[in-house]
Amino acid sequence: MTADASLAVSGGVGGYGVLLEDLDVAVTRLQTSAADLQRASADLDWGKSLLQGLDGVLADPGASVALEGDLLAAATELRRVAESTLGLSLVVATCTTGYRTANDANRNRWAALGALAGGLSPAFGLTGLVLTGNLSRWMQAGPGEDEQVSPPSPGTGGSPPRSLAGQGAVLGPPSGPLPHERPLSTDLLPATTAPPQTLPPGVVVRSLQGGLEPAQPPVQQESQVEGLTAIGRLVGPGEEPLIGMLAGALVGSAALASPAVPLLAARTVASGESQGIGSSTRSTVTPVPLPPVVAAAGAPTGVGEALRRVEDTSKAPGSDLHVRVERTRHADGSRSTVVYLPGTEKWMTDSPTPADLDAIQRGVAGKPSAYTDAVLRAMEEAGVRPDEPVLLSGYSLGGITAAQMAADPAVRAHFDVQGLITAGAPIGHVDIPSTVSTISVEHSEDLVPKLDGAPNTSLESNWVTVEGATPGQLGAHGIEGYADLGDDVDASHRPDLVAAREGLAQFFARRGDHTEVTEVATARVGL
């Protein structure tokens, strides 16, 4: 079996979205033609020949009257054709709208069915109220937990300086003050080389593929979801319908018109905020130095390489969320930026890291989070300009956050997001703009991309979803397997995947590129 044969692809130029877009164009042309015909008919209206050719009327009144009759008949026919053309455009527009509406209803059918079933028993609605009203409090970070996972704070000692064999670097306390908290400025920094950076104590410089590991490796929070993928293997294709129906039953009648899981998330966020839990959406960022191998790596070569860099960014020691920004100046003078967003760091609310349960809930609910703020500050720190094309590449929670940022008008007002790569992320409920070229990769055994209960749309030519089996013995939700799936996307000769790669080509490596890399450690504030 070829690599292409093992991939299930939906959306993109091979989907129905292209046909619907062609019909949208046809509607516009029909409406334009109808307007032209109506104007032509008006030009031939009754009396025009008499007013414009009085001499001819006097010379041959009978011929003028006959001509006037012919012109009137022609005007009447033009009006008839114009009305028919306009009517045809309305029929085609109604059909395309109906198809899209039916497709949305079909994607939400399980939640709607769950809502109807839940209406038969008030126990479902009561359970939903209890769950959304208390989840934030149940999952709140307990006293002392922050100290157990946080790296030593500046000025409090920490690990002694250590020599890195072969790296030619000695790490110790920062040589200067850390950046203080500041509101995100709308006046973006100029495109300059990143300023000298310092490193918090106890952090070890990593190579591009992970490099040296800290003395005490951090707990990989994303591994906790592998238990969910085991359930996914048992349930099989019924995962998404089951989640949709359960969420619909918990939400109630509101799920008849909207995806249920985002509604549950929005209720949970609102309840937590009313209790003073999870309300902080602010972060600080601290630039960290990178080894030469990372700084000199250049732009990613494709989807697989972009996901491996997400993986590398996620390997920061401790519980800090790191965000990496690569700004590339191409040989033709154009610029592009790639931002890497790792997955969840802590499965609790009100944690000191932006990548926690609060970010998951807010992301699924379509609300900005501390993670969103951290990414925006990282981009500002890197000097990303408003007119630079930006590709957001995210895994799991990072994919949710990236998709929401790509769809958020407030973000797009400051940064030109034109590309999106997600891996193992439940983003089927997100309305990604048609101007954002999107590739989503999912493992068929991974339950996480299905947790929003809504499959990714197949009606958008700019958004292609690629599903494949988990390679080898890798975890179904592991970023390593998703990077391999990205390699399959890069190697594919399928026309839809070739077109999808071309949509992101401006962000991939070319001859003569010059890339500047900025990586920041982030912390949530205002808790």
Side-chain angles (χ1 to χ4, degrees):
M1 179 182 296
T2 64
D4 279 354
S6 66
L7 302 178
V9 182
S10 62
V13 299
Y16 289 107
V18 174
L19 300 178
L20 293 177
E21 289 171 4
D22 288 343
L23 290 175
D24 290 336
V25 173
V27 168
T28 301
R29 290 176 176 172
L30 287 170
Q31 291 173 342
T32 300
S33 298
D36 291 341
L37 289 168
Q38 288 171 341
R39 283 191 294 269
S41 173
D43 290 339
L44 297 177
D45 207 355
W46 175 260
K48 290 294 180 67
S49 65
L50 295 179
L51 294 176
Q52 296 174 3
L54 187 58
D55 293 341
V57 173
L58 295 175
D60 190 351
S64 294
V65 171
L67 175 61
E68 188 65 30
D70 292 340
L71 292 176
L72 180 61
T76 302
E77 181 65 16
L78 286 175
R79 279 196 295 269
R80 186 190 67 78
V81 175
E83 291 171 357
S84 298
T85 303
L86 182 60
L88 178 60
S89 73
L90 293 176
V91 170
V92 176
T94 300
C95 290
T96 56
T97 300
Y99 190 94
R100 289 188 172 102
T101 302
N103 180 74
D104 290 339
N106 182 58
R107 294 172 61 222
N108 195 51
R109 68 189 186 280
W110 298 111
L113 182 60
L116 293 174
L120 301 177
S121 173
F124 284 103
L126 180 61
T127 301
L129 291 175
V130 172
L131 179 65
T132 57
N134 294 278
L135 182 61
S136 295
R137 179 168 53 82
W138 292 339
M139 300 298 291
Q140 191 174 19
E145 288 189 69
D146 295 357
E147 291 81 358
Q148 295 174 14
V149 296
S150 299
S153 301
T156 60
S159 303
R162 68 183 73 184
S163 174
L164 301 182
Q167 297 291 325
V170 176
L171 305 183
S175 57
L178 295 175
H180 61 279
E181 179 188 351
R182 63 188 188 283
L184 181 64
S185 171
T186 57
D187 299 324
L188 301 177
L189 301 176
T192 57
T193 303
Q197 302 170 337
T198 59
L199 189 68
V203 175
V204 180
V205 172
R206 297 167 287 117
S207 71
L208 186 61
Q209 298 300 328
L212 298 177
E213 297 293 335
Q216 297 295 328
V219 176
Q220 296 299 317
Q221 298 290 343
E222 286 294 343
S223 64
Q224 298 182 14
V225 302
E226 287 303 326
L228 294 178
T229 63
I231 299 175
R233 291 189 181 94
L234 292 176
V235 179
E239 301 163 341
E240 218 152 45
L242 181 62
I243 293 170
M245 289 183 64
L246 178 59
L250 296 176
V251 168
S253 59
L256 294 173
S258 301
V261 175
L263 292 175
L264 282 175
R267 293 180 182 180
T268 302
V269 170
S271 176
E273 289 180 340
S274 69
Q275 302 172 60
I277 302 172
S279 58
S280 172
T281 58
R282 293 181 297 133
S283 300
T284 57
V285 298
T286 304
V288 297
L290 295 168
V293 66
V294 174
T301 57
V303 178
E305 178 62 27
L307 293 176
R308 285 190 176 84
R309 294 189 184 184
V310 174
E311 177 187 6
D312 183 59
T313 306
S314 71
K315 290 183 176 178
S319 60
D320 282 345
L321 167 71
H322 280 220
V323 177
R324 183 180 298 176
V325 181
E326 294 175 350
R327 298 182 64 226
T328 299
R329 185 177 69 251
H330 303 287
D332 61 2
S334 63
R335 288 182 175 272
S336 64
T337 294
V338 183
V339 186
Y340 302 102
L341 290 72
T344 308
E345 292 286 343
K346 296 192 71 174
W347 288 89
M348 57 182 60
T349 60
D350 270 351
S351 78
T353 174
D356 66 352
L357 186 58
D358 288 326
I360 295 176
Q361 294 174 166
R362 299 185 74 89
V364 174
K367 299 178 179 292
S369 66
Y371 197 153
T372 308
D373 188 59
V375 176
L376 292 173
R377 292 178 186 275
M379 294 169 69
E380 184 186 38
E381 185 74 38
V384 179
R385 296 173 174 174
D387 59 348
E388 285 183 26
V390 174
L391 165 65
L392 301 175
S393 179
Y395 158 68
S396 195
L397 170 58
I400 298 174
T401 304
Q404 287 294 350
M405 292 181 68
D408 188 348
V411 174
R412 296 173 61 80
H414 295 296
F415 297 106
D416 186 15
V417 180
Q418 295 187 17
L420 177 66
I421 296 174
T422 68
I427 61 170
H429 63 287
V430 182
D431 186 14
I432 296 175
S434 60
T435 55
V436 180
S437 298
T438 303
I439 296 178
S440 296
V441 293
E442 301 177 357
H443 286 144
S444 54
E445 302 90 347
D446 188 1
L447 184 63
V448 175
K450 304 173 178 63
L451 288 178
D452 61 348
N456 294 351
T457 179
S458 60
L459 294 188
E460 300 296 338
S461 62
N462 64 298
W463 185 357
V464 62
T465 300
V466 183
E467 184 175 297
T470 306
Q473 300 300 313
L474 298 176
H477 192 60
I479 182 64
E480 301 91 342
Y482 277 122
D484 289 346
L485 184 53
D487 290 339
D488 292 339
V489 173
D490 293 328
S492 175
H493 297 291
R494 290 179 54 122
D496 44 9
L497 295 185
V498 171
R501 294 197 305 270
E502 289 175 350
L504 298 177
Q506 63 177 321
F507 301 104
F508 296 151
R510 307 178 221 165
R511 188 181 301 275
D513 285 350
H514 173 72
T515 301
E516 299 171 355
V517 185
T518 301
E519 185 167 316
V520 299
T522 70
R524 191 175 176 193
V525 296
L527 298 173

